[in-house]
RNA sequence: GGGCACGUAGCUCAGCGGGAGAGCACUACCUUGACAUGGUAGGGGUCACAGGUUCGAUCCCUGUCGUGCCCACCA
């Protein structure tokens, strides 16, 4: 047997251990996918939700990656070929904003001054500079990703995937360009998708405006000379092209088809009948501004109304030189246009309302609270804006993605998130994917001289298409076409590339296969796709999960993952979502520095109950740091007592009751932990291992083993030494997914030194499966080839041992009861007392001598003896139906003991009463399950017996007193 | 307006159709030969409220109140 390594240090120092273990794992390439020893193993794949490349680790990342790591380490120990695919995201808007802000702070030329090429070089510089931060932070957390496979969404390979996907979807008609209203961010000067819009409740006003009827002399005092419309956005009235009323609204029947004169502007616009108009809202007549409101846009389409955009991209009034606006305006309109041109939207609102009021067009103002769209990045009010953008036909792509979840090919955990998924997917809107940014994947579309679009994977290809097209259209001669095709210079500038880039989520949607090497014919794609589980927060179900489902199914023909585990959001103390812009983030690195990564990880796992958000407290982290210390010291204890397993040691053959008991308990813990992780009940798994380590192994097993370990050499001692080491190793294995650093370090110091704990087989379940479990498992492995029966097999040798459980249980109960009485009687620990076991059964008589030393030590006793009756004036306790007596004469006052016994009797009475009430109910006896009734009867018997024993004790005491 | 959660010990949270749990905090005692980042014992909750189903409800159903989140184009 190899000699033990260096002794365990006196104090547990997370920082030292963690940096050292990281190196050990790295050197061993422990986390590499496709390790030679796992070539034939079933793969297990998770793709990391790629964090922003220039970001840093926040608590949400810490939780998300801890859970993924638990799954990966668990499956790795279960023998799977694990690929945890890491990488980062280019985060278009966020990153571009950061760099722009930097430029401003350093008073360097702005983005536009620099130009696209230089600016992009600058962003790449920033990426290279700060891109490693979050990766290193993930490593500090202990994330067991295959770091050799790290990817970035703007890597060459992934960019290739993006282009291919764009081109193919375009070819299939699933990507198209359209001029329609988009959510426009007037600060960032880009379109954004619906999902990037946050509705914020704001206090505003409802302005009631009088629109004069054509052919009438307008007078504010004559209600028949105008129609009143209500609006929350008076400034858009300049772009009104109709007033709509409900076709059935009697108040306005006579006005349908008439025209009104748009105040200030002078334009004549029709009154149309449209069911969009709600007679209950406002005045029942609503102004229609197709170019500035999504609903009005639709109304406008139905009625063939003009779309007059009166704002520019920065949301300032754009009137002068605006052909749409100036068309069909009366004489003298230019003056108004000049006066208001260029005014910013909110200033314009104020000014227009004032002007309307001056001329009597403003009827009244009503305070009104309503939801106003804001950009989630810029925070400014979003403007519906009429522009050309690229769209994905999400509705079509969504159908297979909906079906896959309906059929259970992909399942959500917890299940209720499927409803959220369906609700969104079934009402999905076209996805606007173009962004007027520079940082990102530039759209592979080129425009010819007349604006004709050519979508292709490369510029060369696009040029080819363009030449062919224009030759055919006889715009250029075949001769010119040939020359251009052959000579690079001759075709320069013939086509120009679309300047826009794609929404970052477009590339993220490809992540589960683009990272594996698609579209190249990489073996990894075949081996690791589809992935097994996606772990993420619910906030990106729409942004990311849904889109990966759509893209994965369309391009790979298979779902990207079979399980989507949705975990809680880590919120701040007020329950608000943490975000960088709000500045309410808790820094996980600070907690790691203070308590260690293991403690933080364990805390997050322990709090990761399904369906509940997490509000983190550092006290909890401290508590789990203490847990790590406890484990550390238990291992030190084992080492100090020369606990090690001899070669070929078989725990199943242990003879000592105590050792059989710990094997039994370890098996139960193994089962609990394993089943909980399999079911994604991380908190239950953490709880189970916590209790086993602290409340079973440390509190009782080691304490009960001490007399043997410190006693003379014997067969029992040797066995116990081996079993202490065996149980410790089981603990290290079970705890490793949660606390990888400390367990690996302790494994290195104490175990057999023939390999890393991270690659050591997970403990087999050694309890006996129930018939139902066997049936369920065989059904599962039959139905799902991904569940190899071998991985969940049961060890033939059972550690289940009811006899050992009963015997050790008796010792534990006895010691606990004595301690309790001592405390209640205020007997100082220094006082050693004798214990008398009264009228003991043969079983107890046989058992007791084996535990004399232990009980004496743990219960602070001087001596244990047997008697037929309790000595005079003794405190009596009832343990598992038998009496134990502590002679108290002269030690405590008997009145206190009398009070105690009276209390015990009252407790027993309460129990009896409750049970009697149940058993006295004929309906209960008739209808309740048989075993439940039987249980109640047993409870009654036990309570009665207990009461009798205490009553006897009380009587005896009275006789003395 | 629609949807989803949640309301359990002082705090943070588990749990659950048949005698209310954990961590921290609190109280008392203990420097016992792994550990004071520890040990032992203990106090503390009509499980938000009101109905209903049930032999039995903290748990299932309905409603009320309160809190949070998500979705929605309503003047």
């Amino acid at each position: 047997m190899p000699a033990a390594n260096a002794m365990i240090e006196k104090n547990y120092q997370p920082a030292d251990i963690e940096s050292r273990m990281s190196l050990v794992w790295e050197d061993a390439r422990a986390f590499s996918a496709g390790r030679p020893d796992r070539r034939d193993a079933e793969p297990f794949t998770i793709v990391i939700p790629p964090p922003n490349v220039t970001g840093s680790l926040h608590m949400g990342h810490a939780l998300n990656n801890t859970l993924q790591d638990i799954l990966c380490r668990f499956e790795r120990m279960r023998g799977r070929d694990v690929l945890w695919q890491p990488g980062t995201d280019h985060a278009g808007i966020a990153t571009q904003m950061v760099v722009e802000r930097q430029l401003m702070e350093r008073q360097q030329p702005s983005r536009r001054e620099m130009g696209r090429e230089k600016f992009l070089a600058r962003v790449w510089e920033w990426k290279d500079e700060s891109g490693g931060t979050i990766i290193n932070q993930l490593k500090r957390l202990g994330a067991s990703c295959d770091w050799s496979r790290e990817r970035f969404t703007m890597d060459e390979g992934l960019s290739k995937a993006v282009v291919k996907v764009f081109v193919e979807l375009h070819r299939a008609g699933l990507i198209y360009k359209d001029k329609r209203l988009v959510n426009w961010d007037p600060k960032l000067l880009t379109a954004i998708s619906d999902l990037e819009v946050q509705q914020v409740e704001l206090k505003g006003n409802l302005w009631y405006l009088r629109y004069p009827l054509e052919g009438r002399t307008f007078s504010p005092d004559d209600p028949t000379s105008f129609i009143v419309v209500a609006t929350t956005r008076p400034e858009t009235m300049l772009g009104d092209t109709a007033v709509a009323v409900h076709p059935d609204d009697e108040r306005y029947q006579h006005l349908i088809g008439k025209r009104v004169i748009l105040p200030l502007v002078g334009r004549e616009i029709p009154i149309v009948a449209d069911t969009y108009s709600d007679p209950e809202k406002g005045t029942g007549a609503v102004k229609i501004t197709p170019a500035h409101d999504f609903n009005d846009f639709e109304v406008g389409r139905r009625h063939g109304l003009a779309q007059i955009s009166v704002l520019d991209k920065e949301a300032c009034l754009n009137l002068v030189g605006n052909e749409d606006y100036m068309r069909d305006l009366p004489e003298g309109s230019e003056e108004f246009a000049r006066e208001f041109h260029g005014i910013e939207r909110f200033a314009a609102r104020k000014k227009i309302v004032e002007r309307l009021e001056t001329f009597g067009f403003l009827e009244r103002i009503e305070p009104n609270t309503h939801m106003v769209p804001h950009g989630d990045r810029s925070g400014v009010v979003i403007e519906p804006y009429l522009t050309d953008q690229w769209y994905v036909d999400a509705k079509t792509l969504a159908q297979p993605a909906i079906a896959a979840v309906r059929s259970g090919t992909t399942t959500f955990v917890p299940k209720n998130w499927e409803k959220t998924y369906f609700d969104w997917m079934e009402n999905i809107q076209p996805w606007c994917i173009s962004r007027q940014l520079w940082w990102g994947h530039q759209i592979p579309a080129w425009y010819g001289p007349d604006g004709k679009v050519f979508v292709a994977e490369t510029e060369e290809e696009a040029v080819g298409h363009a030449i062919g097209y224009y030759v055919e259209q006889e715009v250029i001669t075949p001769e010119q076409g040939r020359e251009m095709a052959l000579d690079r210079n001759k075709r320069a500038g013939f086509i120009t590339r679309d300047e826009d880039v794609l929404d970052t989520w477009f590339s993220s949607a490809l992540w589960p296969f683009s990272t594996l090497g698609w579209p190249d014919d990489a073996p990894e794609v075949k081996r690791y796709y589809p992935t097994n589980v996606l772990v993420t927060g619910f906030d990106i179900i729409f942004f990311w999960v849904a889109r990966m489902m759509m893209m994965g199914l369309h391009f790979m023909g298979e779902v990207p993952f079979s399980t989507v585990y949705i975990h809680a959001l880590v919120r701040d103390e007020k329950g608000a979502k943490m975000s960088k812009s709000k500045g309410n983030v808790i820094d996980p690195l600070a907690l790691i520095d203070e308590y260690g990564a293991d403690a933080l990880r364990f805390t997050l796992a322990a709090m990761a109950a399904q369906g509940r958000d997490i509000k983190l407290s550092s006290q909890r982290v401290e508590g789990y740091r203490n847990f790590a210390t406890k484990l550390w010291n238990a291992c030190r204890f084992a080492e100090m007592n020369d606990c090690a397993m001899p070669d070929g040691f078989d725990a199943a053959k242990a003879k000592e009751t105590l050792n059989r008991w710990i094997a039994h308990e370890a098996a139960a813990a193994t089962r609990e932990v394993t089943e909980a992780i399999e079911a994604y009940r991380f908190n239950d798994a953490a709880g189970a291992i916590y209790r086993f380590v602290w409340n079973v192994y440390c509190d009782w097993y080691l304490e009960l083993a001490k007399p043997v370990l410190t006693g003379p050499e014997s067969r029992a001692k040797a066995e116990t030494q081996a079993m202490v080491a065996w149980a410790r190793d089981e603990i290290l294995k079970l705890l490793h997914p949660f606390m990888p650093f400390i367990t690996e370090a302790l494994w290195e110091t104490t175990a057999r030194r023939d390999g890393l704990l991270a690659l050591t087989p997970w403990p087999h379940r050694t309890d006996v499966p129930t018939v139902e479990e066997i049936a369920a498992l065989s059904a599962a492995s039959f139905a799902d080839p991904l569940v190899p029966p071998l991985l969940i097999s049961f060890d033939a040798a059972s550690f289940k041992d009811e006899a050992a459980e009963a015997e050790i249980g008796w010792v534990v109960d006895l010691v606990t009861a004595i301690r309790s009485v001592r405390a209640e009687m205020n007997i100082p620990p220094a006082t050693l007392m004798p214990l008398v076991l009264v009228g003991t059964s043969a079983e107890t008589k046989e058992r007791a001598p084996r535990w004399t030393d232990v009980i004496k030590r743990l219960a602070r006793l001087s001596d244990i003896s047997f008697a037929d009756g309790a000595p005079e004036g003794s405190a009596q306790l009832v343990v598992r139906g038998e009496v134990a007596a502590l002679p108290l004469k002269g030690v405590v006052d008997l009145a206190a003991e009398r009070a105690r016994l009276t209390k015990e009797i009252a407790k027993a009475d309460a129990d009896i009463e409750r049970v009697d009430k149940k058993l006295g109910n004929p309906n209960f006896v008739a209808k309740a399950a048989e075993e439940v009734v039987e249980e109640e009867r047993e409870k009654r018997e036990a309570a009665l017996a207990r009461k009798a024993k205490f009553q006897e004790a009380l009587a005896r005491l009275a006789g003395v007193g």
Side-chain angles (χ1 to χ4, degrees):
Chain A
M1 201 172 76
N5 283 13
M7 289 292 286
I8 300 174
E9 298 291 327
K10 172 98 195 197
N11 293 312
Y12 164 55
Q13 304 285 5
D16 301 350
I17 291 170
E18 290 173 10
S19 53
R20 197 160 50 79
M21 288 305 120
S22 292
L23 292 176
V24 167
W25 289 325
E26 203 170 319
D27 285 349
R29 298 175 187 278
F31 311 139
S32 292
R35 291 171 55 89
D37 55 329
R38 311 248 169 153
R39 289 248 164 83
D40 300 324
E42 199 66 47
F44 178 82
T45 315
I46 292 185
V47 290
I48 202 169
N52 179 347
V53 67
T54 60
S56 56
L57 195 79
H58 60 60
M59 208 49 85
H61 292 129
L63 170 67
N64 177 251
N65 289 290
T66 294
L67 300 184
Q68 289 176 79
D69 195 50
I70 289 168
L71 293 175
C72 286
R73 288 183 185 270
F74 173 64
E75 296 295 355
R76 195 177 288 115
M77 291 175 78
R78 294 216 292 183
R80 306 274 289 261
D81 172 20
V82 173
L83 167 58
W84 183 7
Q85 173 64 51
T88 51
D89 188 283
H90 66 279
I93 295 184
T95 307
Q96 179 163 323
M97 276 172 75
V98 168
V99 176
E100 286 199 72
R101 198 180 319 131
Q102 272 183 5
L103 292 174
M104 204 160 71
E105 278 163 9
R106 298 176 192 175
Q107 301 190 326
Q108 288 167 328
S110 73
R111 162 165 78 104
R112 288 178 202 286
E113 286 164 344
M114 280 177 126
R116 188 167 188 141
E117 207 170 311
K118 268 195 170 161
F119 178 75
L120 285 180
R122 184 72 180 66
V123 182
W124 277 106
E125 225 173 84
W126 165 240
K127 183 253 171 192
D128 291 339
E129 194 179 309
S130 68
T133 304
I134 191 145
I135 295 298
N136 287 327
Q137 289 171 334
L138 284 170
K139 287 180 184 173
R140 278 203 65 192
L141 188 68
S144 64
C145 299
D146 182 348
W147 296 110
S148 68
R149 294 188 50 83
E150 190 187 330
R151 296 288 186 274
F152 175 51
T153 45
M154 280 173 64
D155 278 351
E156 204 182 319
L158 276 70
S159 299
K160 191 169 152 189
V162 166
V163 168
K164 187 176 173 71
V165 164
F166 186 96
V167 172
E168 285 199 8
L169 287 179
H170 180 261
R171 192 177 300 143
L174 294 170
I175 281 183
Y176 56 90
K177 201 168 186 187
D178 196 10
K179 181 167 191 175
R180 44 182 288 164
L181 286 185
V182 288
N183 298 296
W184 182 265
D185 188 316
K187 184 178 174 195
L188 300 175
L189 303 180
T190 179
I192 56 177
S193 74
D194 299 346
L195 289 175
E196 291 158 278
V197 176
Q198 301 284 317
Q199 300 291 340
V200 180
E201 190 171 87
L202 286 185
K203 280 180 192 158
N205 291 316
L206 207 50
W207 285 272
Y208 287 77
L209 310 180
R210 297 170 177 135
Y211 282 14
L213 290 164
E214 181 199 26
R216 299 291 303 265
T217 307
F218 172 70
S219 162
D221 300 325
D222 176 8
T224 65
S225 71
F226 56 83
I227 184 168
V228 178
V229 296
T231 180
T232 53
R233 300 207 52 196
E235 71 280 10
T236 64
M237 58 95 50
L238 302 184
D240 285 2
T241 53
V243 169
V245 297
H246 196 277
D248 301 334
D249 193 332
E250 287 173 15
R251 292 170 296 177
Y252 300 117
Q253 285 300 312
H254 62 293
L255 294 178
I256 294 171
K258 297 255 166 57
R259 299 171 78 82
V260 295
I261 313 290
L262 194 57
L264 308 186
V265 179
R267 185 193 314 283
E268 285 183 14
I269 58 174
I271 296 172
V272 299
D274 195 289
T275 51
Y276 163 66
S277 181
D278 182 350
E280 305 290 315
K281 297 263 166 64
T283 63
V286 58
K287 66 196 254 333
I288 300 297
T289 324
H292 291 286
D293 182 284
F294 288 98
N295 290 307
D296 293 4
F297 184 81
E298 296 302 323
V299 175
R301 276 200 169 167
R302 285 199 284 274
H303 296 273
L305 302 175
Q307 299 162 346
I308 301 177
S309 192
V310 295
L311 296 174
D312 65 13
K313 62 183 181 181
E314 287 171 307
C316 297
L317 284 182
N318 176 33
L319 307 177
V320 175
N322 180 340
E323 286 177 24
D324 292 333
Y325 177 76
M326 296 307 292
R327 191 173 299 131
D328 302 328
L329 283 194
E331 296 289 317
S333 298
E334 295 83 354
E335 196 186 327
F336 173 82
R338 267 195 300 277
E339 186 184 347
F340 278 74
H341 184 81
I343 298 175
E344 185 276 332
R345 57 185 161 167
F346 295 112
R349 174 180 300 177
K350 195 163 171 246
K351 225 175 148 179
I352 284 169
V353 169
E354 278 170 12
R355 185 64 57 95
L356 287 167
E357 187 171 19
T358 307
F359 291 103
F361 295 124
L362 178 66
E363 189 184 70
R364 63 196 163 100
I365 304 176
E366 226 173 58
N368 178 41
T369 304
H370 61 136
M371 302 299 272
V372 180
H374 286 68
D376 66 351
R377 286 288 167 188
S378 67
V380 302
V381 175
I382 290 303
E383 201 61 57
Y385 191 56
L386 197 57
T387 55
D388 277 311
Q389 302 289 343
W390 290 93
Y391 293 88
V392 167
D393 176 0
K395 200 180 168 77
T396 302
L397 290 173
Q399 300 317 310
I402 292 169
V405 176
R406 284 245 183 269
S407 69
T409 311
T410 293
T411 53
F412 281 70
V413 179
K415 196 107 182 145
N416 56 311
W417 289 109
E418 289 180 4
K419 182 174 166 51
T420 306
Y421 174 85
F422 289 135
D423 285 351
W424 189 72
M425 287 293 247
E426 279 160 5
N427 296 297
I428 198 162
Q429 299 298 310
W431 172 19
C432 174
I433 49 169
S434 44
R435 297 288 180 277
Q436 287 63 54
L437 306 171
W438 289 350
W439 178 240
H441 300 99
Q442 195 171 351
I443 291 174
W446 285 263
Y447 300 98
D450 59 352
K452 166 84 183 163
V453 186
F454 302 95
V455 171
E457 291 191 24
T458 62
E459 179 156 7
E460 297 305 302
E461 207 184 304
V463 165
H465 291 165
I467 291 170
Y469 173 80
Y470 288 111
V471 167
E472 195 180 310
Q473 298 292 309
E474 298 179 2
V475 174
I476 55 175
T477 65
E479 191 60 32
Q480 284 172 308
R482 256 192 303 281
E483 279 177 21
M484 284 167 74
L486 291 170
D487 188 342
R488 190 175 280 273
N489 292 325
K490 289 226 164 94
R491 63 176 188 253
F494 181 58
I495 55 171
T496 53
R497 185 164 186 177
D498 194 313
E499 300 224 327
D500 293 349
V501 300
L502 289 164
D503 181 1
T504 305
W505 295 104
F506 189 88
S507 52
S508 311
L510 319 180
W511 190 248
F513 50 94
S514 64
T515 50
L516 297 178
W518 188 91
D520 290 342
D521 192 20
E524 286 87 347
V525 178
K526 205 167 196 172
R527 181 158 174 80
Y528 298 107
Y529 190 96
T531 71
N532 295 80
V533 51
L534 180 81
V535 179
T536 190
F538 63 80
D539 53 328
I540 53 175
I541 290 178
F542 306 145
F543 275 111
W544 196 44
V545 180
R547 286 156 178 179
M548 283 191 284
M549 287 291 289
M550 293 192 270
M551 293 298 195
L553 280 161
H554 190 265
F555 285 95
M556 306 299 293
E558 272 184 287
V559 293
F561 23 72
S562 35
T563 301
V564 180
Y565 177 73
I566 301 290
H567 59 66
L569 231 49
V570 186
R571 298 181 182 276
D572 72 2
E573 63 280 359
K574 284 174 293 185
K577 184 173 162 179
M578 288 190 195
S579 75
K580 225 191 289 181
S581 54
K582 274 190 228 160
N584 60 349
V585 290
I586 299 174
D587 184 6
L589 277 311
L591 289 173
I592 290 177
D593 286 340
E594 190 167 4
Y595 303 110
D598 284 330
L600 175 63
R601 290 168 58 109
F602 202 89
T603 307
L604 292 169
M607 297 184 79
Q610 288 180 13
R612 176 90 86 133
D613 289 337
I614 294 179
K615 280 188 248 168
L616 200 70
S617 86
S618 64
Q619 275 190 334
R620 193 81 185 251
V621 185
E622 186 181 353
Y624 290 122
R625 189 274 319 267
N626 295 352
F627 172 61
T629 304
K630 186 75 181 176
L631 173 71
W632 185 264
N633 283 302
C635 291
R636 270 186 73 214
F637 171 79
E639 187 162 324
M640 290 163 75
N641 286 281
D642 300 319
C643 294
M645 275 189 287
D647 289 336
F649 176 75
D650 183 358
K653 297 202 174 101
K655 298 258 186 323
E656 299 295 310
T657 308
L658 180 62
N659 292 334
R660 293 192 59 78
W661 174 76
I662 195 64
H664 168 93
E665 292 291 326
T670 298
R671 175 191 180 131
E672 275 189 86
V673 174
T674 306
E675 290 183 350
I677 299 178
E678 282 173 344
Y680 303 98
R681 285 183 285 108
F682 298 99
N683 57 322
D684 287 340
I689 185 64
Y690 182 95
R691 283 190 300 275
F692 180 62
V693 172
W694 204 313
N695 304 125
V696 177
Y697 186 73
C698 292
D699 286 353
W700 291 108
Y701 181 61
L702 292 184
E703 291 304 329
L704 297 179
K706 275 178 184 173
V708 183
L709 293 173
T710 54
E713 296 303 323
S714 68
R715 198 208 62 82
K717 178 172 174 177
E719 182 189 289
T720 302
Q721 283 174 318
M723 280 302 279
V724 165
W726 175 84
R728 177 248 285 140
D729 284 359
E730 296 299 286
I731 284 170
L732 294 179
K733 290 181 219 168
L734 293 176
L735 188 56
H736 183 257
F738 301 88
M739 295 188 146
F741 294 106
I742 187 175
T743 51
E744 186 76 75
L746 288 169
W747 182 263
E748 178 189 65
T749 323
T750 63
R752 282 143 315 277
R753 356 316 161 184
D754 55 357
L756 293 173
L757 176 59
L759 298 171
T760 295
W762 185 255
H764 275 225
R765 281 180 50 170
T766 45
D767 53 327
V768 179
T770 63
V771 175
E772 292 80 23
E773 283 174 327
I774 293 170
L777 284 167
S778 55
S781 58
F782 189 74
D784 181 1
L786 286 183
V787 180
L790 276 179
L791 290 181
I792 41 180
S793 69
F794 295 92
D795 197 313
S798 171
F799 287 158
K800 206 169 170 78
D801 193 330
E802 302 289 359
E805 202 290 320
E807 181 161 337
I808 303 301
W810 172 77
V811 175
V812 168
D813 286 356
L814 178 62
V815 169
T816 305
I818 297 168
R819 282 168 168 171
S820 184
V821 170
R822 292 183 61 118
E824 224 166 315
M825 298 283 109
N826 283 317
I827 301 166
T831 308
L832 301 186
M833 319 188 61
L835 178 77
V836 182
L837 296 173
V838 181
T840 38
S841 64
E843 194 181 30
T844 305
K845 270 211 170 89
E846 186 266 332
R847 236 175 221 171
R850 285 199 286 274
W851 304 105
T852 306
D853 284 356
V854 169
I855 296 167
K856 278 168 72 177
R857 182 172 171 280
L858 295 180
R860 315 289 300 158
L861 302 176
S862 55
D863 174 61
I864 299 177
S865 58
F866 297 90
D868 290 333
E872 243 180 54
S874 56
Q876 294 182 48
L877 17 141
V878 182
V879 176
R880 300 208 168 188
E882 294 181 18
V883 174
L886 290 168
L888 287 174
K889 219 171 177 181
V891 181
V892 278
D893 68 307
L894 299 175
E897 172 62 359
R898 223 180 324 257
R900 188 184 71 84
L901 290 172
T902 308
K903 212 170 112 190
E904 293 284 2
I905 290 167
K907 245 200 259 174
D909 272 334
D911 285 352
I912 294 164
E913 197 185 332
R914 186 167 18 75
V915 175
D916 276 349
K917 214 171 132 194
K918 271 193 177 180
L919 291 171
N921 180 345
N923 281 326
F924 173 72
V925 181
K927 297 191 179 177
E930 217 172 292
E931 59 267 28
V932 174
V933 177
E934 188 50 39
E935 214 174 285
E936 292 298 322
R937 292 210 171 98
E938 281 167 16
K939 276 185 206 164
R940 185 167 191 279
E941 290 309 308
L944 280 175
R946 207 159 7 108
K947 184 183 171 185
K949 295 257 158 70
F950 283 121
Q951 268 172 333
E952 267 172 54
L954 192 59
R956 204 165 299 128
L957 209 59
V960 173

